[in-house]
Amino acid sequence: MILLEELINRGVLDTENSEKIKKLSEEKYNGQIDEAFAELKIDEVAVLEAKKDIFGVPIKEVEAKKVPADTLKLIPIDAAKTYQFVPINQTDSFLEVGIVNPEDMRAVDALTFITAKLNKPFKLFLIKYSTYKELINAYEGNS
């Protein structure tokens, strides 16, 4: 996996932790590598920076408490959970969406479909996995 190799190259992970993460994500988290990063307490900012450099998606720092409930409701919670993306801001001209795994093309396809129904284009931003989890909790509190 490109991300794990990059994190090894940056000194964030060693080979042993990389193997643990692979195994943990496959066996316990159904392939969700960010769950494994969180469990092993891997530096979230370093992971985010590596993703930005690999995938070319900008990072956006988001305070989960400041995302309005009406913004969250623009994307169905099932889609947010399945594809690990959440709406983080809306303007008159576009919807800002925070994503955890920008290499998941299914997520981008789903987002394109959802935002077409809203008649609003989207801009993707990488967000911290912890922020994503906070926003999912906010969704569940607001749905």
Side-chain angles (χ1 to χ4, degrees):
M1 172 176 259
I2 296 170
L3 179 58
L4 292 176
E5 291 171 18
E6 183 62 26
L7 291 170
I8 290 169
N9 291 341
R10 292 176 184 221
V12 176
L13 293 178
D14 58 25
T15 306
E16 183 181 329
N17 275 340
S18 175
E19 290 304 315
K20 280 183 189 175
I21 287 168
K22 267 192 232 176
K23 186 176 181 179
L24 196 57
S25 73
E26 291 167 5
E27 294 177 1
K28 187 174 179 182
Y29 296 116
N30 197 29
Q32 300 294 339
I33 197 164
D34 290 282
E35 289 275 6
F37 287 142
E39 182 172 319
L40 295 178
K41 299 184 182 358
I42 305 302
D43 182 351
E44 198 173 22
V45 173
V47 171
L48 210 56
E49 288 290 334
K51 286 180 181 180
K52 176 189 72 137
D53 293 343
I54 294 167
F55 304 114
V57 177
I59 295 171
K60 183 146 191 169
E61 191 65 39
V62 178
E63 285 187 56
K65 293 174 187 158
K66 291 188 177 182
V67 178
D70 62 325
T71 298
L72 288 176
K73 291 177 183 174
L74 293 173
I75 292 178
I77 190 167
D78 291 341
K81 286 180 170 181
T82 300
Y83 301 110
Q84 294 188 314
F85 56 57
V86 288
I88 54 176
N89 189 35
Q90 61 177 321
T91 69
D92 289 338
S93 51
F94 60 87
L95 180 65
E96 291 183 358
V97 179
I99 191 164
V100 173
N101 184 6
E103 79 178 319
D104 184 352
M105 293 312 298
R106 297 174 319 124
V108 176
D109 290 345
L111 192 54
T112 301
F113 178 77
I114 291 166
T115 56
K117 284 184 168 184
L118 297 171
N119 199 24
K120 195 174 265 205
F122 65 90
K123 288 187 179 182
L124 267 186
F125 295 92
L126 280 167
I127 59 171
K128 291 180 189 173
Y129 184 69
S130 59
T131 302
Y132 163 77
K133 295 296 274 186
E134 285 180 58
L135 286 166
I136 289 297
N137 289 337
Y139 250 108
E140 291 173 335
N142 290 320
S143 31

